[in-house]
Amino acid sequence: MIFRGIFFSYALTNQYNHRNYQMIAVVINSLIFASVHVDANWEPWIYYTLMGGILGTTYLLAKRDIRMNILVHMGTNLAVFALAAMS
């Protein structure tokens, strides 16, 4: 909710709702998402930045419906948890 709901409501006001601004906002949001989830190790940065990009794009494609974004995030966390439990 913080990364998509609050960030995008400030970053993409009506005057900045153009597709170029949306792409820039998704990239910035992805980097912030990764920085909060990862320490100094660089390898997880790739995964978390990619996931942040997927979540940001999902949020915009779902017409800023945070519920779809929450479901995608929960599904991803569940899949990672299941894979970790099987190994």
Side-chain angles (χ1 to χ4, degrees), residues 3 10 18 20 23-25 36 40 43 46 48 50 55 57 59 64 72 81:
F3 291 110
Y10 284 110
H18 190 268
N20 292 336
M23 290 187 325
I24 292 168
V36 170
E43 188 177 345
I46 297 168
Y48 281 104
L50 179 62
L55 290 170
T57 303
Y59 180 72
R64 299 184 184 189
V72 171
F81 179 74

Side-chain angles (χ1 to χ4, degrees), residues 3-4 33 37 51 55 68-78:
F3 291 110
R4 259 60 67 191
F33 182 80
H37 284 84
M51 191 61 207
L55 290 170
M68 179 58 73
N69 201 255
I70 291 170
L71 288 174
V72 171
H73 196 290
M74 287 173 50
T76 304
N77 287 349
L78 182 62

Side-chain angles (χ1 to χ4, degrees), residues 2-84:
I2 292 171
F3 291 110
R4 259 60 67 191
I6 295 173
F7 176 84
F8 280 110
S9 66
Y10 284 110
L12 297 176
T13 58
N14 288 337
Q15 66 185 19
Y16 296 115
N17 207 16
H18 190 268
R19 174 139 351 256
N20 292 336
Y21 290 115
Q22 290 177 349
M23 290 187 325
I24 292 168
V26 167
V27 169
I28 292 170
N29 187 268
S30 300
L31 295 172
I32 295 170
F33 182 80
S35 69
V36 170
H37 284 84
V38 179
D39 57 5
N41 193 356
W42 68 270
E43 188 177 345
W45 263 86
I46 297 168
Y47 302 118
Y48 281 104
T49 302
L50 179 62
M51 191 61 207
I54 291 169
L55 290 170
T57 303
T58 302
Y59 180 72
L60 292 175
L61 290 175
K63 297 183 173 110
R64 299 184 184 189
D65 185 1
I66 196 73
R67 295 173 295 177
M68 179 58 73
N69 201 255
I70 291 170
L71 288 174
V72 171
H73 196 290
M74 287 173 50
T76 304
N77 287 349
L78 182 62
V80 169
F81 179 74
L83 288 172

